[in-house]
């Protein structure tokens, strides 16, 4: 493992609840009611996919200018909520501190647009990240592999040498498609198993050595005994998980 590529929403910060509020506000503005099923289908998605889902659900025409305006309005609303402070997911800040101390390059890989991600970084701390890739800076956002391919490129590394950390089915699919082994930390939604995925219940208590072990196990570089010692999924998610 030569680098760690981290998702933001739901992985490092428990911001999915904030997105819940913003999505509900958008639906209220558009004259609809957000259902849990529709909200679940947007978790981890890029702005374009989210707006397509919303407009389909509300039976609205896919008028590009209207959809773009809705996305801008929701991101402005969310930014105001971000400015009030973002709660850390359990163990996330400690793990970033440990990666920094160990001089392991870390990139932030998010579907969140750059303008909004910059506001989040003011709360998280941009000093943790050697690179930041946002959803509006690549040809296609997650679940396409583009964000992870770009992050590895910025670090000058093969994606296979990087461990991705993700909480959503969309993000895990993107990282796996890019060739990254994936440490899955489910938050709002269950994440299916996959050949390049290892699941834990929380980042709490994980050390840099654990990440090396996970990457080695998934990349085929560890022995059976070493794989048996990988950190296991805890029985419960953190108390603040939706």
């Amino acid at each position: 493992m030569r680098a760690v590529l981290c998702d933001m929403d739901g992985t490092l910060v428990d911001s999915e609840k904030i997105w819940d509020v913003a999505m509900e506000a958008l639906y209220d503005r558009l004259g609809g009611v957000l259902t849990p099923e529709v909200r679940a289908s947007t978790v981890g998605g890029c702005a374009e996919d989210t707006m397509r889902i919303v407009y389909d659900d509300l039976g609205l025409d896919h008028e590009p200018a209207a959809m773009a305006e809705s996305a801008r309005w929701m991101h402005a609303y969310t930014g105001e909520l971000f400015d009030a402070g973002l709660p850390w997911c359990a163990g996330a800040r400690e793990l970033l501190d440990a990666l920094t101390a160990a001089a392991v390059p870390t990139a932030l890989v998010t579907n969140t647009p750059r303008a909004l991600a910059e506001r989040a970084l003011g709360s998280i701390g941009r000093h943790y990240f050697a690179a930041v890739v946002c959803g509006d800076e690549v040809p296609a956002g997650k679940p396409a592999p583009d964000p992870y391919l770009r992050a590895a490129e910025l670090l000058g590394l093969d994606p296979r040498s990087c461990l991705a950390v993700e909480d959503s089915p969309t993000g895990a699919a993107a990282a796996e498609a890019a060739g990254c082994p994936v440490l899955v930390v489910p938050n709002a939604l269950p994440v299916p198993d996959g050949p390049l995925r290892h699941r834990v219940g929380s980042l709490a208590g994980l050390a840099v050595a654990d990440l090396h072990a996970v990457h080695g196990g998934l990349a085929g570089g560890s022995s059976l005994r070493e794989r048996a010692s990988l950190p296991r999924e805890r029985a419960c998610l953190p108390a603040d998980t939706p």
Side-chain angles (χ1 to χ4, degrees), residues 31-55:
V33 177
L34 177 65
T35 65
E37 293 76 19
V38 170
R39 172 64 185 116
S41 71
T42 66
V43 172
C46 62
E48 293 80 4
D49 289 343
T50 295
M51 287 305 114
R52 279 194 290 269
I53 291 169
V54 169
Y55 273 58

Side-chain angles (χ1 to χ4, degrees), residues 1-171:
M1 183 188 80
R2 299 185 61 189
V4 173
L5 313 179
C6 284
D7 173 55
M8 183 175 74
D9 295 301
T11 300
L12 294 180
V13 290
D14 194 17
S15 50
E16 291 298 351
K17 296 184 183 70
I18 294 174
W19 284 105
D20 290 345
V21 172
M23 285 284 292
E24 288 172 358
L26 176 64
Y27 262 73
D28 185 63
R29 186 170 187 259
L30 295 175
V33 177
L34 177 65
T35 65
E37 293 76 19
V38 170
R39 172 64 185 116
S41 71
T42 66
V43 172
C46 62
E48 293 80 4
D49 289 343
T50 295
M51 287 305 114
R52 279 194 290 269
I53 291 169
V54 169
Y55 273 58
D56 280 343
D57 181 47
L58 295 174
L60 300 174
D61 290 337
H62 285 211
E63 205 283 307
M67 295 173 75
E69 174 56 29
S70 291
R72 282 192 294 270
W73 184 90
M74 185 176 70
H75 292 149
Y77 188 98
T78 306
E80 293 177 4
L81 299 177
F82 276 16
D83 289 344
L86 291 168
W88 288 95
C89 289
R93 187 171 191 173
E94 293 79 4
L95 185 58
L96 288 176
D97 284 336
L99 288 167
T100 299
V104 176
T106 303
L108 187 69
V109 186
T110 176
N111 262 347
T112 299
R114 169 64 69 168
L116 189 53
E118 286 294 327
R119 295 172 78 164
L121 284 168
S123 176
I124 299 171
R126 66 188 70 248
H127 64 282
Y128 287 121
F129 306 107
V132 176
V133 177
C134 299
D136 56 347
E137 299 174 334
V138 290
K142 306 173 189 179
D146 303 36
Y148 279 100
L149 293 173
R150 178 60 176 157
E153 179 185 24
L154 288 173
L155 296 178
L157 298 173
D158 188 317
R160 293 171 294 183
S161 71
C162 304
L163 180 68
V165 185
E166 274 284 357
D167 75 298
S168 72
T170 299

